[in-house]
Amino acid sequence: MLSLWRKIRRTGRVAEPPPPLPEGERPERAALLGGSVQIRHVDAGSCNGCEIEIGSAFGPVHDGERYGARLVASPRHADALLVTGVVTRNMAEPLRRTFDAVPAPKLVVAVGDCARNCGVFAGAYGVAGAVRDVVPVDVEIHGCPPRPEAIVEGLRKLTGR
Amino acid sequence: MSALGVVGGVVQPVLIVAGSPLLVGLMRQVRARLEGRAGAGVAQPWRDLRKLLRKERITPRGTSEVFRFAPLVLVATTLVVAVVVPFVATESAVDPVADLFAVVALLALGAVALALAGLDTGTAFGGMGASREMTILALVEPTLLVAIFALSVRVGSTNLGAIVSSTLHDPARVISPVSLLAAVALIVVIVAETGRIPVDNPSTHLELTMVHEAMVLEYAGPDLALVELASAMRLSVFLGLLANLFAPWGIATEATPLAVLIGVLALVVKVGVLGGLLAAGEVFVAKLRLFRVPELLAGSSLLALLAVAASFFLA
Amino acid sequence: MNLAATGMAAVVAIGLVTALLAAVVPARSAVVGVGTAVTGAAAVVAGAAALAGGSFSVVLPEVLPLSGVALTLDPLGGLFVAVTGGVAVAAGIYAMSYVDSLDLRTRGVQVALPLFVVAMALVPAAANVSTLLVCWELMALASLVLVVAEHRRGPRVASAGRWYAVMTHLGFVSVLIGLMVFVAHAPDDSFAALREAGGRLSPAVAGVVFVATLAGFTSKAGIVPLHAWLPRAHPEAPSHVSALMSAAMVNLGVYGVVRVGVDLLGGGTAWWWLLVLALGAVSAVYGILQAAMSSDLKRLLGQSTTENMGLVLVGIGAAGLFASSGEHTLAALALTAALLHVVGHAAFKTLLFLAAGSVLHATGSRDLDALGGLRPVMPVTTAAFGLGALAASALPPGTAFVSEWLLLQALIHGLPAGGVAAAIAMPVAVAAVALTAGLAVATFVKAFGVGFLAKPRSGAAADAHESPFTMLAGMGVAAVVCVVLALWPAGVLPAVQAAAGGAAVSGDVTLRLSQATGALSPLLLTLGLLAAVVVVAGVVRAAVARRARREARLWDCGGGPMSARMEYTATSFAEPLQRVFDDVVQPELDVDVSHHQESRYLVQAVEYRRKVPDRIERRLYEPVLNAITAWGGAGRRLASGSVHRYLGYGFYVVCGALILLAVTR
Ligand code: SF4
């Protein structure tokens, strides 16, 4: 316990100073949320590269939570879906249902090139399409995988902070 | 019903409703800082609540009015407790309800409403959360009541006003073994009842480790806002109770504006410090396995029994 | 003749006429139902009159040989008569259509119902030992007939009847022995004479009398370890009879303990009451623990009766303990709490059993694992059971909350009063009461949440329908009493205190303890709660954006659809508790894994069986039963069927007798 305390003291704050608020237009409905965005993450068929980056976007260094975004356990609690990967055939219906389970107003963020345009998996036999083909997408985040900074930037478009 | 009681009865619920999301924000902030993060700010829970109130209401198919009314009952029980318990002023607005047993039972009633709502959804997780919550509640009860017993024996009453003012007049009691043992027992109980680590993890995403969260997975929008507000209020009510049972100093004993102001400030400081300590403590421990929790609670009820024994043999 | 006497006369007259009519009239069920309800109403009147101070006593020497029938009604007896009557009113109304539907119309069963009520009403009115014992036995026989009424339904009913018959008669023998020893030290067998002799008994004799009667009376109240018959007989009886047994008959065991221990023997010594307290605490915890594990709705209610009678005995034990150390106000407080709990328990247990009967009537099942989803199809029954569950689980604004609050107050204030014995007993008792209260909450959340809410777990539950009006009316009577007791306990407190023989609580809306500072107002609490609900609902309505409520499918993780088989059952609900109390209940687990023929790494099927046996029963009763069976086996070897052998036995016995005579002469 003491060693943990010493470690906390030694490490201090690791969160980096926040970059300036991203440029670019915000989705209109995001203003309704007033700086608080609860996020449900849906893996629609990703290679898990994106998940690792989402994990570090909410880690101490980038600290996505400081901008008012938070991961939650149920789509009922969520305002936004964070969808990664191409939408496989098996996940198309669950993704639709998850979207349906979110109370309005709701937003969808497509994370990674797969989610945007099927990326490296384009044309594969198990693929139903990009996220856009299944549910309406509000924000897209580039990269394969996207850098955590890019994910945080995308989320800040929702929270506006 | 005295003037002081009325003032307390008005100020306290307002303070608790307004302050408890801030307490949760504070606790998250403390945790974030200890983890090296920046944190979302103390006001974030209020932003969350504001947003949830603006969202759509959802009725899951097949649920009954039990599901719909449970959040109301949950908030209402806590609100009644916030009105009657002497948090800011020593006198209670409704003295015949300000009984320790009644308060404990009221808080249990809120938990029961939520457990029934969990069962009402008919989902596996709802049932699981309800079952676990009720198990913990059943095991917490002996500790809680025996600790109350230890505290009330010397005062000769379970009336909260009486207990608080007697401690106020006799500060030496606070450091007696009875108080210390009972305090430790009560802290364990409060950790269990408010669903904090190591009994439950309020920020878990893993359904299988959930207790409280599992019951509320189906709530959305304003209903969820009520549930979240209620759990924040329960936390501050329990911490306030702990603070005023063992360290009631600063509480208003007369109905002057200055006294009430000092009372408010004292409560805010005490609850804030307790909340900060609780959050800091949580960083150092891991969540217990569900089936190790009874051992923790058994230990605490032993402490409570010792407290009663001490109150008899050391008196 | 005053009101109490008229009332009792009416009870006997109406009850007997109803029984007679039941034997001759073709449309029995309505007649019996109405007759039973009216008998009950008369008993309520008689009891209330006695509580208000109008006691009477009559002696009818011709009716019984030896000492004749003697009846009297003092406040203590009046309370129990009134409670019995109240239960009978609800059960009688309920029986009118319940009986019609379940093929319980046989003559014997119908005759037994009013007789049972009359016998129960006469027990607390008995004023000498012979009357008490005769009424006690009549009550046992009538209820036995009713327990086995549905014997065609299966061997479990017959087995329950056997258990009940044996145990109730062993209890009777125990009471008989105790009272006979007592009477031997008194001029005659009237209670007045016993009361006078009670003070002069040597401690040893008094102890024997008390323990013998305690064993008999507590076996009727379902107190551990003599409870084994209760969770068998109460659920197997038709539901209105279950209500009568569980809400009225068990009380008479409590009555017996108070009458003999406190009244006739005059209080006795501290160890008696420590024994009572311990029995009560163990029964309360053990009973509710069994109920928490149970997945049979009516069995669960039966086990909860053991729990509640345990709580009552905790109160009585505490009262006796305080009285023996001279704390009479505290003793009155504890006794008031105990008797108030008797009244409250009668009300909510009636309601719960009648509601359970309604479920049984609609679905044919009382297995919680097969119920659920009754809320849309049986709204009234669901509401009734919900109210009963709230009343039973010691939560505000419930019925048991008030009496348990009083009980806890008595226990807490008893610590400084009672010396070292109290210093050890009181905290443990508080812990036991608290654990009981906590487990009761879990139990009734399970019973209500699993049994009535969520989705139906079987076809029968899905096709359920609401019960006919008279059944609902019977539940309604009990429900109204529950609500009144919960909100305005002061309404019955004067009566209860008259029975307890001391005023320790005063007040109208607010109950105040007269000795210590302590106050509780259930009405204000409830009003406050309602006001808070209204305020919160109003604020939310004002603050919420005007969006329509949307109905959505349950969140099934995107898969689904979710079926009833994925729901938590009563068994799974109780699983964590069962694990926690593993050492106490010792469940039997049986896991069978069968493998594929080709490879033992491939599992074909897993079968899981779990049973939570009654451990006390296993430890205590099984050896006795085995011994009896062994005896029977030995006896059978003697009876081989050969006439020569039997003649030989006769010869040997005669020879033996002659030798004995020759030696002793
Ligand atoms: S975008 Fe790249 S990292 Fe993300 S799921 Fe697709 S392939 Fe994996």
Side-chain angles (χ1 to χ4, degrees):
Chain A
M1 198 144 155
L2 259 185
S3 65
L4 184 57
W5 175 242
R6 249 178 266 128
K7 179 146 190 150
I8 290 174
R9 292 279 307 279
R10 219 172 330 118
T11 317
R13 184 163 148 165
V14 286
E16 292 186 342
L21 204 63
E23 302 290 305
E25 91 288 19
R26 287 178 69 196
E28 222 170 274
R29 272 166 299 146
L32 285 174
L33 300 179
S36 148
V37 180
Q38 256 82 314
I39 296 162
R40 173 72 188 172
H41 163 236
V42 181
D43 176 345
S46 106
C47 77
N48 276 15
C50 286
E51 273 70 26
I52 290 173
E53 302 305 327
I54 292 176
S56 61
F58 283 91
V61 177
H62 301 286
D63 194 13
E65 253 182 54
R66 76 167 112 170
Y67 307 109
R70 196 154 59 87
L71 292 171
V72 292
S74 162
R76 292 261 195 266
H77 303 181
D79 313 298
L81 294 181
L82 205 58
V83 189
T84 56
V86 287
V87 181
T88 56
R89 282 197 219 157
N90 279 341
M91 279 304 287
E93 187 53 29
L95 178 59
R96 238 173 258 128
R97 286 186 184 160
T98 312
F99 183 73
D100 187 54
V102 179
K106 51 190 162 187
L107 297 131
V108 177
V109 183
V111 179
D113 287 343
C114 288
R116 286 175 53 236
N117 54 21
C118 299
V120 290
F121 297 113
Y125 65 90
V127 170
V131 175
R132 197 186 308 116
D133 305 330
V134 182
V135 290
V137 172
D138 300 275
V139 175
E140 293 187 329
I141 298 173
H142 297 254
C144 173
R147 295 184 60 80
E149 290 91 334
I151 297 176
V152 169
E153 199 184 295
L155 294 180
R156 288 180 75 182
K157 280 187 191 158
L158 301 188
T159 63
R161 289 167 68 197
Chain B
M1 216 186 271
S2 63
L4 184 58
V6 174
V7 171
V10 175
V11 172
Q12 288 174 180
V14 174
L15 185 65
I16 299 256
V17 169
S20 48
L22 298 179
L23 174 70
V24 172
L26 176 77
M27 290 175 71
R28 284 200 196 139
Q29 198 67 16
V30 168
R31 194 186 167 93
R33 282 299 157 83
L34 289 177
E35 288 174 350
R37 292 187 288 120
V42 174
Q44 184 62 28
W46 260 122
R47 275 184 222 120
D48 294 351
L49 289 179
R50 184 182 60 182
K51 173 210 62 190
L52 284 174
L53 284 175
R54 289 186 196 146
K55 295 202 71 167
E56 178 187 37
R57 311 189 111 170
I58 287 187
T59 311
R61 221 158 276 152
T63 54
S64 68
E65 41 298 269
V66 173
F67 179 81
R68 234 164 310 140
F69 283 120
L72 283 181
V73 174
L74 187 63
V75 177
T77 50
T78 325
L79 203 59
V80 172
V81 172
V83 170
V84 299
V85 174
F87 286 124
V88 170
T90 44
E91 273 159 49
S92 164
V94 199
D95 195 53
V97 183
D99 179 272
L100 255 176
F101 291 135
V103 164
V104 167
L106 266 175
L107 291 170
L109 179 67
V112 165
L114 204 59
L116 284 177
L119 279 172
D120 191 31
T121 58
T123 60
F125 292 133
M128 185 187 77
S131 153
R132 292 176 175 183
E133 178 89 354
M134 285 300 106
T135 305
I136 292 175
L137 183 95
L139 298 178
V140 157
E141 207 85 335
T143 316
L144 199 52
L145 262 57
V146 175
I148 292 173
F149 186 4
L151 290 176
S152 53
V153 157
R154 291 162 315 166
V155 188
S157 168
T158 51
N159 184 283
L160 279 162
I163 296 177
V164 167
S165 29
S166 107
T167 316
L168 212 50
H169 293 139
D170 186 7
R173 274 190 181 167
V174 175
I175 48 164
S176 71
V178 180
S179 290
L180 294 179
L181 286 170
V184 175
L186 271 184
I187 289 171
V188 175
V189 163
I190 288 173
V191 166
E193 284 262 315
T194 53
R196 310 294 305 187
I197 292 175
V199 174
D200 184 11
N201 181 358
S203 55
T204 181
H205 302 160
L206 277 176
E207 285 89 346
L208 290 178
T209 65
M210 288 176 177
V211 180
H212 174 84
E213 284 286 294
M215 292 187 291
V216 305
L217 280 179
E218 282 291 340
Y219 280 114
D223 297 327
L224 182 65
L226 284 181
V227 172
E228 300 231 307
L229 177 65
S231 59
M233 282 168 68
R234 283 168 74 90
L235 183 62
S236 22
V237 160
F238 269 115
L239 292 181
L241 209 53
L242 186 70
N244 277 2
L245 282 178
F246 296 99
W249 300 294
I251 191 168
T253 48
E254 52 197 299
T256 59
L258 183 67
V260 173
L261 189 68
I262 291 177
V264 169
L265 285 180
L267 183 72
V268 169
V269 170
K270 278 184 279 190
V271 171
V273 168
L274 280 177
L277 286 177
L278 189 58
E282 285 184 337
V283 176
F284 290 93
V285 289
K287 184 184 171 304
L288 279 178
R289 269 185 67 209
L290 184 68
F291 293 106
R292 300 294 297 277
V293 170
E295 292 167 21
L296 180 76
L297 297 176
S300 74
S301 52
L302 202 63
L303 288 181
L305 276 175
L306 277 179
V308 181
S311 77
F312 180 77
F313 291 109
L314 302 183
Chain C
M1 230 163 135
N2 63 8
L3 190 56
T6 322
M8 283 313 285
V11 168
V12 176
I14 300 172
L16 293 184
V17 168
T18 310
L20 211 64
L21 284 179
V24 292
V25 174
R28 291 181 207 116
S29 45
V31 173
V32 170
V34 172
T36 309
V38 175
T39 313
V44 172
V45 171
L51 285 166
S55 53
F56 76 98
S57 61
V58 285
V59 182
L60 309 165
E62 315 81 32
V63 182
L64 265 183
L66 295 177
S67 51
V69 166
L71 294 175
T72 185
L73 209 54
D74 61 354
L76 178 64
L79 183 73
F80 284 88
V81 171
V83 168
T84 304
V87 177
V89 171
I93 297 176
Y94 184 86
M96 288 198 264
S97 44
Y98 183 73
V99 166
D100 256 346
S101 50
L102 274 186
D103 209 21
L104 291 168
R105 276 171 291 179
T106 45
R107 191 163 285 142
V109 174
Q110 294 285 18
V111 172
L113 186 67
L115 288 184
F116 182 38
V117 173
V118 170
M120 281 198 293
L122 285 179
V123 166
N128 66 16
V129 171
S130 331
T131 317
L132 178 75
L133 290 177
V134 168
C135 295
W136 191 264
E137 184 56 20
L138 180 61
M139 171 177 91
L141 289 180
S143 56
L144 182 58
V145 171
L146 291 166
V147 166
V148 295
E150 293 179 280
H151 60 93
R152 285 200 191 82
R153 241 189 28 226
R156 270 169 57 185
V157 181
S159 143
R162 269 199 301 278
W163 272 90
Y164 179 46
V166 171
M167 292 208 55
T168 195
H169 282 101
L170 288 179
F172 179 76
V173 168
S174 182
V175 172
L176 184 75
I177 293 173
L179 290 180
M180 284 304 128
V181 172
F182 199 174
V183 171
H185 291 80
D188 61 67
D189 79 338
S190 76
F191 282 178
L194 291 178
R195 201 169 288 136
E196 217 215 305
R200 289 183 275 107
L201 286 187
S202 73
V205 175
V208 168
V209 172
F210 184 71
V211 171
T213 50
L214 183 70
F217 286 131
T218 54
S219 84
K220 184 60 74 176
I223 293 295
V224 171
L226 301 174
H227 64 293
W229 63 275
L230 195 147
R232 290 192 166 76
H234 286 207
E236 298 302 342
S239 295
H240 60 293
V241 179
S242 309
L244 277 170
M245 292 175 74
S246 235
M249 191 175 76
V250 289
N251 297 342
L252 299 180
V254 171
Y255 165 79
V257 175
V258 177
R259 176 64 83 199
V260 173
V262 179
D263 183 19
L264 301 184
L265 287 171
T269 39
W271 70 264
W272 294 9
W273 303 108
L274 279 175
L275 176 67
V276 171
L277 189 78
L279 283 179
V282 171
S283 303
V285 173
Y286 193 74
I288 197 63
L289 204 53
Q290 292 282 325
M293 311 288 150
S294 180
S295 58
D296 177 330
L297 186 55
K298 283 182 74 179
R299 201 176 163 94
L300 179 152
L301 294 178
Q303 282 154 336
S304 132
T305 301
T306 294
E307 170 231 339
N308 281 294
M309 288 300 117
L311 289 177
V312 170
L313 279 205
V314 168
I316 292 175
L321 203 58
F322 297 149
S324 68
S325 58
E327 295 281 340
H328 289 287
T329 327
L330 262 183
L333 177 61
L335 197 53
T336 305
L339 294 182
L340 188 63
H341 198 73
V342 166
V343 178
H345 171 248
F348 68 70
K349 197 46 71 66
T350 308
L351 180 58
L352 286 170
F353 260 121
L354 296 188
S358 171
V359 171
L360 187 59
H361 173 247
T363 63
S365 170
R366 41 179 227 229
D367 181 7
L368 284 172
D369 289 349
L371 293 174
L374 298 178
R375 156 69 194 84
V377 281
M378 306 180 73
V380 182
T381 305
T382 304
F385 195 92
L387 185 69
L390 177 67
S393 47
L395 290 175
T399 315
F401 174 64
V402 183
S403 46
E404 287 190 25
W405 183 80
L406 285 175
L407 182 60
L408 285 169
Q409 292 294 343
L411 294 179
I412 282 184
H413 291 108
L415 184 61
V420 178
I424 296 163
M426 293 300 135
V428 176
V430 168
V433 172
L435 184 59
T436 310
L439 288 173
V441 169
T443 306
F444 283 100
V445 164
K446 177 186 77 174
F448 183 62
V450 174
F452 292 83
L453 303 180
K455 285 193 282 277
R457 293 181 181 76
S458 66
D463 301 336
H465 51 89
E466 191 56 281
S467 302
F469 176 73
T470 45
M471 280 170 70
L472 301 183
M475 285 188 250
V477 171
V480 168
V481 176
C482 272
V483 170
V484 170
L485 282 176
L487 297 187
W488 192 50
V492 293
L493 262 180
V496 171
Q497 304 212 43
V505 190
S506 59
D508 192 12
V509 173
T510 301
L511 309 176
R512 283 183 197 287
L513 308 183
S514 42
Q515 194 195 29
T517 41
L520 176 76
S521 170
L523 186 64
L524 281 183
L525 199 161
T526 314
L527 288 180
L529 209 52
L530 284 180
V533 167
V534 171
V535 166
V536 175
V539 169
V540 170
R541 189 166 265 271
V544 163
R546 294 266 164 267
R547 285 175 190 276
R549 240 178 204 284
R550 175 163 69 98
E551 198 168 276
R553 56 184 283 147
L554 280 171
W555 173 235
D556 47 15
C557 300
M562 213 134 31
S563 77
R565 287 198 52 177
M566 298 174 189
E567 278 179 277
Y568 246 49
T569 57
T571 313
S572 43
F573 188 92
E575 206 266 357
L577 272 177
Q578 178 224 309
R579 275 211 205 192
V580 172
F581 291 99
D582 223 8
D583 296 334
V584 184
V585 294
Q586 295 200 330
E588 290 166 3
L589 286 184
D590 204 359
V591 184
D592 269 347
V593 184
S594 48
H595 300 280
H596 267 287
Q597 221 132 48
E598 298 89 76
S599 159
R600 57 189 191 82
Y601 296 108
L602 292 178
V603 174
Q604 191 168 34
V606 180
E607 199 177 308
Y608 174 90
R609 251 172 283 121
R610 195 203 68 174
K611 213 177 130 203
V612 184
D614 187 334
R615 196 176 165 205
I616 293 183
E617 193 183 308
R618 180 145 296 186
R619 280 286 166 81
L620 225 60
Y621 290 72
E622 247 172 39
V624 176
L625 289 180
N626 290 342
I628 292 176
T629 319
W631 251 75
R636 190 178 303 158
R637 235 175 292 136
L638 289 177
S640 61
S642 141
V643 178
H644 298 111
R645 260 192 144 178
Y646 296 162
L647 286 175
Y649 292 154
F651 176 68
Y652 292 134
V653 169
V654 171
C655 287
L658 286 176
I659 291 170
L660 198 73
L661 279 176
V663 171
T664 49
R665 265 316 215 4

